[in-house]
Amino acid sequence: MDVRHLQYFLEVAKQKSFTKAAKTLHITQPTISKMIKDIETECGVTLLERTGRKAVMTDAGEIVYKRAQQIVQSFDNLANELSDLMNIKRGKITVGLPPMVGAHFFPKILGQFREAYPEIIIQVFEDGAKKVIHDVESGALEIGVAVQPVDQERFHAISFVKESLRLVVHPDHPLASKEEVKLVELKDEPFILFREDFALHDQIIETCIRIGYFPKIAYESSQWDFISQLAAAKLGVALLPETICNGLDRNKVNIVKLIEPEIPWHLAMVWRKDKYLSFAAREWIKFTKKLL
């Protein structure tokens, strides 16, 4: 048995079909059937039940499937490491950035990194922090920026922003002239929040619930500038990070410190502990760590 046997088995299990797996792998169906039969003979168990056109894993197949994934991943990691040695300082990085983070912290870094490493391609994906952390965990992204805290057993994390949320209201709002506002004072206000795939959406709601009320949600958006514009149009109150508030037009909105409790906005660059990082990704982490 070699790694190809396991790769073929994983594909059949994924497709639940010998025919589909053969097409995906660009080999003949008899070849893939023989590979699976070789594994079953060597292991002394049946891995796949052939029911009509479907191939369903047995209990033994489930066990082999889990181990095969780990072995194939290790083999891929080895291939990637060897490729780094042969193609040093070349490669591609996939990075996930929430819109607020990408717009305010990374344009300059991306430009300087491109100058230093013109052979490295950076693919940037903009999504809410919840989606970013999910994609890093699944392997769809190598590196992402997420809102702290993150699972320290699963992720490496480099913290680079520690701020709090501020209240954003129209200048005519009764709370606009105050220096500080307690979160409980917003109990009857319509909230303008980020969408559910943003970490701040849950964070704001959970904090409100913790002090005794569920916020009245008037609008949701994925764009911080649209949220501030809705607040400027007297359609509700918004809670935005300090960095964002610093760039808002003070003729259209007032910014008020939020207290009791403060809602933190702590950011970190994260990547999986158990996944191999390419040379390019490691250089990106080292480079951004210095600048951030």
Side-chain angles (χ1 to χ4, degrees):
M1 186 194 311
D2 61 29
V3 71
R4 282 187 307 151
H5 287 80
L6 298 178
Q7 289 170 332
Y8 291 175
F9 169 69
L10 289 175
E11 191 62 32
V12 174
K14 177 183 175 183
Q15 300 289 347
K16 296 182 180 179
S17 166
F18 283 83
T19 302
K20 291 180 180 178
K23 287 181 179 179
T24 301
L25 295 168
H26 304 292
I27 59 174
T28 64
Q29 186 171 331
T31 298
I32 201 168
S33 296
K34 183 180 183 305
M35 288 284 200
I36 303 303
K37 187 64 178 175
D38 288 345
I39 302 176
E40 291 178 326
T41 301
E42 187 167 336
C43 293
V45 292
T46 299
L47 303 180
L48 294 162
E49 287 287 349
R50 287 77 163 172
T51 56
R53 294 185 177 182
K54 285 190 175 182
V56 181
M57 282 190 290
T58 62
D59 291 345
E62 295 279 359
I63 293 173
V64 173
Y65 183 82
K66 291 178 183 178
R67 293 299 182 188
Q69 282 183 309
Q70 296 170 1
I71 294 168
V72 170
Q73 181 65 62
S74 295
F75 183 82
D76 289 343
N77 286 348
L78 173 61
N80 287 333
E81 290 178 28
L82 293 175
S83 176
D84 277 347
L85 292 176
M86 297 170 63
N87 304 287
I88 196 163
K89 295 193 177 181
R90 297 187 181 189
K92 182 177 73 174
I93 314 168
T94 52
V95 180
L97 301 176
M100 287 186 294
V101 178
H104 285 81
F105 297 100
F106 282 89
K108 185 177 179 181
I109 294 174
L110 287 165
Q112 292 182 9
F113 187 83
R114 180 61 183 272
E115 288 181 9
Y117 301 98
E119 299 288 336
I120 295 178
I121 299 170
I122 304 177
Q123 289 187 316
V124 177
F125 297 87
E126 276 200 328
D127 276 304
K130 286 168 65 177
K131 178 68 162 55
V132 169
I133 197 72
H134 174 272
D135 286 348
V136 172
E137 185 171 17
S138 70
L141 294 172
E142 285 185 281
I143 303 166
V145 170
V147 175
Q148 294 270 45
V150 296
D151 186 346
Q152 294 184 356
E153 291 187 3
R154 296 184 66 85
F155 301 102
H156 289 293
I158 297 174
S159 180
F160 65 94
V161 170
K162 288 190 176 181
E163 297 183 356
S164 298
L165 301 188
R166 295 286 185 260
L167 174 65
V168 180
V169 293
H170 187 275
D172 293 339
H173 193 282
L175 298 174
S177 60
K178 300 188 70 172
E179 290 186 7
E180 298 178 336
V181 170
K182 297 179 181 179
L183 186 58
V184 71
E185 295 180 69
L186 305 179
K187 182 177 181 179
D188 298 320
E189 299 288 343
F191 277 69
I192 307 165
L193 296 182
F194 284 97
R195 288 188 329 219
E196 290 184 358
D197 54 330
F198 285 72
L200 283 181
H201 177 277
D202 292 353
Q203 193 173 0
I204 291 170
I205 292 176
E206 289 168 2
T207 306
C208 289
I209 291 173
R210 195 162 63 244
I211 65 169
Y213 71 93
F214 193 96
K216 300 175 182 178
I217 303 172
Y219 301 95
E220 293 182 355
S221 174
S222 63
Q223 303 297 322
W224 61 265
D225 51 348
F226 185 56
I227 289 175
S228 66
Q229 289 168 13
L230 291 176
K234 301 183 180 181
L235 295 175
V237 301
L239 300 178
L240 293 173
E242 294 172 58
T243 295
I244 302 299
C245 291
N246 292 338
L248 298 181
D249 187 344
R250 297 306 178 91
N251 294 317
K252 296 181 179 180
V253 293
N254 276 23
I255 311 300
V256 185
K257 184 177 181 181
L258 186 68
I259 61 170
E260 295 185 22
E262 289 188 350
I263 301 179
W265 191 60
H266 296 173
L267 301 178
M269 188 164 61
V270 300
W271 62 98
R272 265 174 49 181
K273 287 185 173 181
D274 62 347
K275 189 175 186 300
Y276 169 77
L277 280 180
S278 65
F279 174 87
R282 282 180 271 134
E283 283 301 299
W284 166 261
I285 291 169
K286 190 188 305 181
F287 191 89
T288 54
K289 185 178 180 180
K290 291 178 181 177
L291 295 179
L292 289 173

